[in-house]
Amino acid sequence: MTHKTINIKGNNMKQFSALLMVLSLATFIGSSVNAVAAEPDKAEQVIYRLGSQTPYKGSEKFFTGNVRIDPWYPVGNGMRSVGASVTFEPGARSNWHTHPVGQALIVTSGVGLTQEWGKPIQEIRPGDVIVCPVGVKHWHGAAPNSSMTHISIAEDKDGTCVEWLEKVTDDQYNGK
């Protein structure tokens, strides 16, 4: 292995010294931030036991058919996310809607349907994970002859995690 010697003089030496000082300062700040981050947090974990949150029926303003929402943890818990298990009876579905920060759905049982505006309906099954990007208009729900349950995780932005739009018509639901 060969080494090269760099000859630094005049203004180049001043620039090189300044660069070394900036790099040293950045290294010091980085190590200080890591030391602060490593200190134990004063907050404690909270365990929400299964069934400790009150389930509720999905509002007819936002859903067609029978929908049950089982929240996992309350809103305003210090986190920005909202998580719930949502069960759609056969034929039940959400309205068209968007998310300001996106949404993740994890199908846990049954057969469901989902559709992005202007695209074909897609069937979803247990184990499927659907990532709904920011601002993409879509709906999801159960297939006509099956219930479907999914886990829904969305992040709050400016006090909301969803923008509800118009109902999905029967023709839209049936792919017509």
Side-chain angles (χ1 to χ4, degrees), residues 22-173:
V22 168
L23 290 174
S24 297
L25 182 59
T27 303
F28 171 75
I29 290 171
S31 64
S32 298
V33 168
N34 289 337
V36 171
E39 290 183 19
D41 193 0
K42 303 280 187 241
E44 295 181 2
Q45 291 186 99
V46 176
I47 299 173
Y48 295 100
R49 301 287 178 199
L50 181 63
S52 67
Q53 303 301 302
T54 305
Y56 57 95
K57 180 178 174 21
S59 170
E60 292 178 9
K61 283 175 58 176
F62 309 125
F63 297 96
T64 298
N66 290 319
V67 177
R68 175 187 163 119
I69 301 168
D70 290 277
W72 285 359
Y73 47 88
V75 176
N77 59 25
M79 296 183 354
R80 293 182 302 218
S81 69
V82 176
S85 177
V86 183
T87 301
F88 297 82
E89 289 188 10
R93 58 203 178 257
S94 71
N95 285 9
W96 289 100
H97 60 282
T98 63
H99 299 278
V101 188
Q103 177 189 48
L105 303 174
I106 305 163
V107 180
T108 58
S109 67
V111 179
L113 303 173
T114 188
Q115 183 180 23
E116 269 188 48
W117 186 258
K119 295 187 178 179
I121 294 172
Q122 296 190 57
E123 188 174 273
I124 51 178
R125 297 186 166 272
D128 289 348
V129 177
I130 301 93
V131 176
C132 308
V134 173
V136 171
K137 185 175 179 178
H138 68 284
W139 66 267
H140 35 89
N145 299 314
S146 175
S147 62
M148 186 271 295
T149 300
H150 65 55
I151 295 166
S152 172
I153 302 170
E155 190 172 332
D156 179 82
K157 181 178 180 184
D158 300 326
T160 187
C161 64
V162 63
E163 181 184 345
W164 291 107
L165 304 169
E166 70 273 15
K167 292 219 175 269
V168 173
T169 66
D170 288 341
D171 281 350
Q172 289 171 325
Y173 176 79

